[in-house]
Every structure is written in C-alpha cells, then in structure tokens.
Amino acid sequence: MEQIIKLENVDLYNSLYGLETLHPLISVIDLTKATKTVNHIQMNYGLYALFLKQTKSCNIQYGRTSYDYQEGTIVSFAPGQTVSVDMIEDEVAPKVYGIIFHPDLIRGTSLGKSIKTYTFFSYAVNEALHLSEQERGIVMDCLEKINIELEHAIDKHSKALITMNIELLLNYCMRFYERQFISRSDANKDALTKFERLLDDYFQSELPIRDGLPTVKYFADKICLSSNYFGDMVKKETGKTPQEHIHEKVVELAKEHIVDTDETVSEIAYTLGFQYPQHLCRLFKKRIGCTPKEYKKMNV
C-alpha cells in the first residue's frame, strides 16, 4: 500500500521540496525555488493550503476525482483532506505558488473565527478556481505581502499583519469564485434542474421510509459535486441553501398529506422520513406558522 505522508507541520512540507522555513506556522510557497524534486506524493493535510498553478505541470487526485491542474488555476485544501500529486515528466521547476499555514497560526484571531466561511477549502479539485491574468496578479501581490512580513523581524504586529493579509487573499478568492459561479450560470442551472428532479424522485420512492430525510451530500454526490461547492452554487443561484430547498419540499408534501389524506401526523412524518413526529411539527410550525393539526383544521 502506498505510504501517505501526514503533513502536520510547515517544515515537513518545505523539507520535502528543499524550501526554507521562515516561520514555524506559515510558509509562502514558490516551487520554482525547490531544490528537491518529488514526482509522486500522497499527503494527508493537517494544514490549510492554497496553491496557484501558473503552468501545466502536474495532476492532482482528491478522493476519487482526478484533475488536470491547468494554467492559472487555484486549488485549496483544509486539514483532514488527502491529496495525491503526480508531476509531469521533464518539468524541472513547476511554476506553483501558494501558502500553507497551521491552524494554530489563526487561533484566537478574527480569521480563526471565520475560516469555516471560506468553504472553497473543501471544494473538490474539479471545482478549482480559474483566474484571469489580472486576478493572478492580485493573488501574487497578496502572497508577496505575506512573504515580506515573514522576512521581517518578528515583532508584536507580525501575527496580526500576517493573518490580515491571509484574510485579504481568501476574500479575493471568494470574490473570484463568485465571479466564476456567474460565468458558469448555464451549467449551474442544469445542476439546479437536476437537483429539483432528484428531490422529486427521492420523495416519490421508498427512500424516505428506508433512509430518512435526504442530506445535502446525497444530492451533491448524485450531481458529482462536493457538498460545499453544491451548497454555495445553489445559494448563489437561488438565494436559498440546499437544506432550505429540502425543507420547503418536505413541508409542501406534508401539507398535501394533511389536506388530502386521513393519515395521522405520526404516519405523515414516517412517510416523509422523519424519525420523530415532533421534528416534523417543529419544522412545519417554523415555516408555516402553525402546527400540522391547526393547518388541517383551517383547510378542511
């Protein structure tokens, strides 16, 4: 079985490629300066990482998905993800730039509190960010600002300035991803149509009784997207999260059962995949403003 390197600190990554470590918790990566070559490697990240690829020189596999890492592409990884990288032969100095940082660096900072909002860290590699030339320039400028701080003697301002510049970089990536969602609007609409069809199919089958309420991951897997990318795409296109769409569907179906059948609330809840009737009652009242029994009285 292939060995998986547990990437638990910054220095381990730098030592793999022969790069200098200026700070124990963060490093700006420039693989054009690498003094060691790694043709194939599989890493389990214990760090946050974001890489900009300026030329085609390697292929990445994350989970079951293989991705041809093209020019001008950003991919990012969060702690807990396992990634395989294969370098293309004859590529001596791949133009890969980026940043890796340990979770301890941002602990107790505003970035530490907001890091989960940067959901692109958990996107699949086939959902990578493709940048324009101007956008690449912005990313490189952010990396340079961070590197300047790393080369500066550490003082009481260092941590704040480093984390602020990381946050600036991540905010730009959020903006670029939103632009990419817009430019892929037609493909997104196709995914939404498929989501609606899958939602209908799920509740017309025996799956709710067998498996319970569907998860966002269930639909994301069916559409071949990561849960985070799928969630962000649906929210961008509709203004609602996939979970809200699922709840809307469940409540509409519950209303039909309440008005058109003599089923009890418990029977309806079971049919729709709820483990306990009170969960249906709570969701129903939250969205409609009354309980299922009150709704039935008003509509009989």
Side-chain angles (χ1 to χ4, degrees), residues 258 263-270 277-278 280-281 292-293:
I258 291 166
E263 293 174 325
T264 66
V265 173
S266 294
E267 289 171 334
I268 295 170
Y270 175 72
Q278 55 266 39
L280 170 60
C281 294
K293 289 183 178 179

XYZ file of all heavy atoms in Angstrom, residues 258 263-270 277-278 280-281 292-293:
117
model
N -51.667 16.248 4.730
C -52.591 16.720 5.773
C -53.977 16.980 5.194
O -55.002 16.607 5.778
C -52.034 17.999 6.441
C -50.787 17.661 7.275
C -53.093 18.666 7.324
C -49.985 18.889 7.688
N -54.288 10.425 7.115
C -53.128 9.954 7.873
C -52.911 10.823 9.119
O -53.175 12.030 9.112
C -51.867 10.024 7.007
C -51.860 9.051 5.835
C -50.656 9.265 4.930
O -50.228 10.419 4.761
O -50.148 8.274 4.400
N -52.432 10.204 10.166
C -52.079 10.948 11.378
C -50.760 11.676 11.144
O -50.027 11.372 10.189
C -51.925 10.008 12.577
O -50.796 9.142 12.345
C -53.185 9.179 12.792
N -50.452 12.601 12.022
C -49.178 13.327 11.917
C -48.012 12.351 12.014
O -47.021 12.484 11.293
C -49.075 14.409 13.012
C -47.687 15.049 13.006
C -50.150 15.473 12.813
N -48.141 11.352 12.866
C -47.075 10.354 13.009
C -46.867 9.581 11.713
O -45.727 9.323 11.300
C -47.406 9.376 14.139
O -47.408 10.039 15.380
N -47.959 9.208 11.056
C -47.869 8.462 9.792
C -47.250 9.329 8.699
O -46.428 8.850 7.900
C -49.258 7.988 9.375
C -49.816 6.875 10.260
C -51.278 6.573 9.976
O -51.999 7.489 9.483
O -51.710 5.440 10.248
N -47.630 10.588 8.662
C -47.069 11.504 7.654
C -45.574 11.680 7.887
O -44.769 11.638 6.955
C -47.785 12.869 7.704
C -49.248 12.709 7.294
C -47.085 13.873 6.788
C -50.100 13.947 7.526
N -45.206 11.880 9.143
C -43.795 12.061 9.490
C -42.980 10.840 9.074
O -41.890 10.968 8.488
C -43.651 12.312 10.989
N -43.492 9.652 9.331
C -42.807 8.414 8.976
C -42.649 8.304 7.461
O -41.576 7.954 6.948
C -43.586 7.221 9.522
C -43.030 5.872 9.106
C -41.830 5.398 9.644
C -43.709 5.075 8.186
C -41.326 4.165 9.261
C -43.209 3.841 7.795
C -42.018 3.386 8.338
O -41.519 2.166 7.953
N -42.185 12.350 15.089
C -43.237 13.266 14.612
C -43.017 14.706 15.060
O -43.321 15.644 14.311
C -44.518 12.692 15.236
C -44.206 11.268 15.514
C -42.750 11.214 15.842
N -42.470 14.894 16.269
C -42.284 16.252 16.766
C -41.295 17.052 15.917
O -41.366 18.283 15.864
C -41.846 16.269 18.242
C -40.616 15.475 18.584
C -40.960 14.075 19.063
O -41.879 13.435 18.536
N -40.231 13.603 20.076
N -41.155 16.906 12.615
C -41.994 17.441 11.541
C -42.814 18.611 12.060
O -42.918 19.649 11.399
C -42.915 16.350 10.984
C -44.011 16.838 10.024
C -43.398 17.521 8.803
C -44.907 15.676 9.590
N -43.404 18.458 13.233
C -44.242 19.527 13.799
C -43.434 20.807 13.998
O -43.916 21.906 13.700
C -44.846 19.083 15.134
S -46.030 17.727 14.969
N -49.250 21.104 12.255
C -49.992 20.333 11.253
C -51.478 20.186 11.598
O -52.333 20.281 10.716
C -49.276 18.979 11.260
C -47.882 19.297 11.655
C -48.009 20.398 12.667
N -51.792 19.966 12.876
C -53.203 19.816 13.271
C -53.973 21.108 13.070
O -55.122 21.100 12.605
C -53.295 19.364 14.738
C -52.842 17.926 14.940
C -53.010 17.492 16.391
C -52.597 16.040 16.581
N -52.737 15.592 17.996
